[in-house]
Amino acid sequence: MNAPIPFPAHQSQQVMFHRTELTMILSLYGRMVAAGEWRDYGISALKDVAVFSVFKRTAEQPLYRIEKRPKLRLKQGMYSVIGMDGQILKRGHDLKPVLGVLERKLIRAVD
């Protein structure tokens, strides 16, 4: 019988959102779904970045991407919101104010 092959000593680490970060993001997502603005989302955990993508329709490009890049935490801030065209809408060290740029979309004039 063959001996089992061990896993490599060092495995590549993925960047992930923590529970508190996901709670804030999913809270905003739920409010936007209730308002009829968003319909689907996707989460990616890559080597250098974690991405929460928001879609209006499933088959389209994401409307917004919420990214976490830990390597930028000492520079511009590790959180950013990126629009459909690739433009960075907001970047910062704290997730709540960064998500504030998307919360403004919920504020509408009442007739």
Side-chain angles (χ1 to χ4, degrees):
M1 194 155 208
N2 294 339
I5 300 171
F7 286 112
H10 65 88
Q11 293 191 4
S12 62
Q13 295 293 321
Q14 293 179 333
V15 177
M16 307 277 287
F17 288 106
H18 292 284
R19 182 180 298 232
T20 55
E21 296 164 340
L22 272 178
T23 301
M24 283 190 269
I25 293 170
L26 290 173
S27 173
L28 172 65
Y29 175 78
R31 287 178 289 168
M32 294 300 261
V33 167
E37 296 292 321
W38 298 348
R39 294 207 180 11
D40 200 9
Y41 72 90
I43 299 176
S44 300
L46 306 172
K47 184 179 177 185
D48 296 330
V49 62
V51 182
F52 187 94
S53 302
V54 177
F55 299 90
K56 179 74 171 178
R57 292 179 190 82
T58 306
E60 295 181 349
Q61 289 183 339
L63 290 174
Y64 301 103
R65 291 188 332 257
I66 302 164
E67 293 188 354
K68 175 183 177 181
R69 294 183 182 266
K71 288 186 178 180
L72 295 178
R73 73 178 172 272
L74 299 176
K75 296 177 182 166
Q76 303 103 341
M78 72 171 137
Y79 302 106
S80 59
V81 173
I82 301 170
M84 180 184 242
D85 56 355
Q87 181 181 8
I88 296 175
L89 303 176
K90 181 95 173 167
R91 177 179 278 159
H93 297 282
D94 190 21
L95 183 59
K96 191 169 181 92
V98 171
L99 292 178
V101 72
L102 297 175
E103 295 209 22
R104 289 188 208 127
K105 308 273 185 209
L106 282 172
I107 300 172
R108 296 183 188 162
V110 178
D111 294 332

